[in-house]
Each structure stands twice: as structure tokens, then as C-alpha cells.
Amino acid sequence: MAELKDKYETLLVRRERSRLHVTLNRPEVKNALNPTLIGELKQVFAALRDRRDIKVVILRGAGGTFCAGADLKNMEQSFTESPKSGERDPIAINNREYGTFLEAVNTTPQVVVAAVEGYAIAGGFGLLCVSDVAICTEDAGFAMSETAIGIVPAQIAPFVAARIGVPNTRHLALTAARFKGPDALRYGIVHHLVKDTAALDAKLEEVLKQIDRCAPLANALTKAVVMKVGSEPLSSVLDFAADKFAEARRSPEAAEGLRAFAEKRPPKWAGE
């Protein structure tokens, strides 16, 4: 099983009880995504896949910016050679890897909370759109900016569309429109809008305390059920949901939760 490392080159990772704080740490370039940063994020989420002692991941950016998208200097310098005959373009192969990473975040058993200030642009916007709960400041800036520089939001577009619908995604992607926190709330990109960084910290702690009340296995199984909605026939989803309900009901969590309810006390996991 993959393990979390003690130190990363482009991330700050801090464990706090059942919470894992993961901070993108390239503030000098507004936490732009490069291969090292994406690779380290992949390592973290791979390590979380089978962990139940961590039930929430908090994503944030160092230096007051969430993520300004791909490191364009790195993009400009890469893939100068044409693909060989009969082989897939290496640009396509590399691009697809970011989609694989977003899938991993989107389906991780933990609750993913994004705390956004500064900017969430392009690839950073896509990362925001695979969070379970998102909070942003009023002055945070957002955009699907790829088409304005002649490229395609290829790997983020499906996740954005799943979050806010195809019509809104078409509007944002085909205009490269820039917008602020109030519009992000209106679109449904974020769930909570706050005034400033201090209010962001306060709202984040409030959300984390709400998640503390939920059992980790129950959350993981619930997320698995919800993620199937719209991608499979309803009857199949309901069958899957019934199996997940049975798995949860036979778990020690359910026994503890029902006992705690009867005894009028918080369940043991609530203090983790």
C-alpha cells in the first residue's frame, strides 16, 4: 500500500487527527501545475485510496492563490517533436494523465474540501470542480482560460460539466470568461462564499466540524453511490446502493452510531 511521505517538493502536507491538509506550494508561480506538482498530488491520493483513518482532505494554495493552472513555460518547452507514424501523439498521452489524476481525486473515498482564494484558473479550476465541498472568497477569480491561448480544456471540461451542466460549461469554455466568487456560487461551482481569508478559515473549520460528525466508511460508501448517478441505469444504481447500505449496516461504525444515538452521546468517530 502506498504511504504518505514526510516531505514533498511542491506540497505542504499536514495531518490533523482524521484531517489531511494538502497545500499546493509553488507560490512564486501562483501554484501553477508542473509535472512535479501533479506527480506529488497523484502520490498523495494514491496513498489515500485505502485509508479510513483519514476522512477529509483539505486542498489549498500557498501564498493566497489556489492554483493558476498549468505552468505555461513548461508547456511551451515540451513536446517539440512530432508523433511517430502509427503512434499516438505524446501530447495526447500527457494530457490524458491529468484526467486520470482528476478521476482519482473525484472518486477518492475521503471528503475533499477546496478552500479557494486568489485564483482557480484552467487546470486549477478543474481541480476545484472535483472537490466535494468548496469555499471561496468574494474576490477569488475563476476562468476556463484555455481557449483564449489556443488550446482546449480537454481533461477538465467533463468534470466542469458534471458539476455545473453542459450549457454553463459551454458558456465558460467558449468565452474564456473571467468571473469572481459571487458568480462561482451562482453557477454552483462553490458551496460557500465568504468575505476574506479570515472568514474562509472560519467557514472551513465549521465545515470540517460538520464532517467530523459523519462516519468515514459511511461517507466513503455514500460518495460511491452518488458518483454512479447519471452514469448507469437507475435500477443498477439502486442495486449498488442497497449493497453499500448492507455493507455499512454490518460495519462497526453502524453499531457504534446506533448505540451512541440510543445513549444520547456523540459517536466515537466524532472526536477523531
Side-chain angles (χ1 to χ4, degrees):
M1 183 175 68
E3 295 292 338
L4 293 167
K5 293 165 61 175
D6 293 330
K7 191 173 183 180
Y8 295 86
E9 183 179 338
T10 61
L11 298 175
L12 299 175
V13 177
R14 175 173 61 89
R15 173 84 181 267
E16 178 193 13
R17 304 191 311 277
S18 61
R19 305 169 180 177
L20 189 72
H21 296 262
V22 178
T23 302
L24 282 59
N25 191 33
R26 300 185 73 218
E28 70 281 0
V29 290
K30 300 188 184 301
N31 301 314
L33 299 163
N34 69 356
T36 303
L37 177 52
I38 295 170
E40 291 188 334
L41 284 168
K42 285 181 178 178
Q43 291 172 22
V44 168
F45 280 93
L48 291 172
R49 179 63 53 178
D50 297 319
R51 298 283 291 265
R52 293 297 177 268
D53 56 323
I54 296 173
K55 64 180 178 181
V56 60
V57 183
I58 301 95
L59 292 176
R60 203 162 184 176
T65 293
F66 184 70
C67 177
D71 190 329
L72 296 182
K73 290 182 180 179
N74 179 77
M75 183 180 294
E76 189 176 6
Q77 294 167 1
S78 63
F79 303 112
T80 56
E81 295 183 4
S82 299
K84 296 178 181 178
S85 178
E87 294 184 0
R88 194 178 189 192
D89 195 318
I91 294 177
I93 295 171
N94 180 73
N95 181 254
R96 182 63 179 86
E97 288 180 359
Y98 193 63
T100 300
F101 161 66
L102 291 179
E103 281 187 286
V105 179
N106 200 41
T107 59
T108 193
Q110 289 77 19
V111 182
V112 178
V113 179
V116 179
E117 52 193 328
Y119 296 97
I121 305 292
F125 184 72
L127 181 57
L128 163 62
C129 284
V130 292
S131 65
D132 298 299
V133 183
I135 312 164
C136 79
T137 57
E138 291 177 352
D139 63 352
F142 305 84
M144 295 179 75
S145 58
E146 288 89 344
T147 53
I149 58 171
I151 58 176
V152 175
Q155 298 301 307
I156 75 168
F159 298 99
V160 177
R163 195 174 191 95
I164 64 173
V166 170
N168 282 330
T169 303
R170 287 166 65 171
H171 167 232
L172 296 181
L174 301 178
T175 63
R178 291 180 175 267
F179 56 97
K180 295 291 188 178
D183 281 331
L185 181 68
R186 179 173 62 84
Y187 282 123
I189 295 161
V190 302
H191 306 96
H192 303 284
L193 180 68
V194 297
K195 183 177 181 181
D196 53 25
T197 299
L200 182 68
D201 291 337
K203 176 57 73 172
L204 175 60
E205 183 58 30
E206 179 185 323
V207 169
L208 294 177
K209 286 181 177 177
Q210 291 171 335
I211 296 169
D212 282 344
R213 297 173 54 201
C214 303
L217 177 63
N219 263 356
L221 297 178
T222 297
K223 185 170 177 177
V225 171
V226 173
M227 293 302 299
K228 285 187 174 291
V229 175
S231 63
E232 296 184 13
L234 179 58
S235 60
S236 297
V237 176
L238 293 175
D239 286 342
F240 178 82
D243 291 339
K244 297 302 108 177
F245 180 86
E247 183 179 344
R249 179 63 186 85
R250 293 186 181 279
S251 72
E253 278 186 2
E256 164 62 11
L258 292 168
R259 189 180 306 113
F261 179 81
E263 296 173 0
K264 297 182 180 180
R265 60 170 176 81
K268 291 179 180 178
W269 64 73
E272 293 175 354

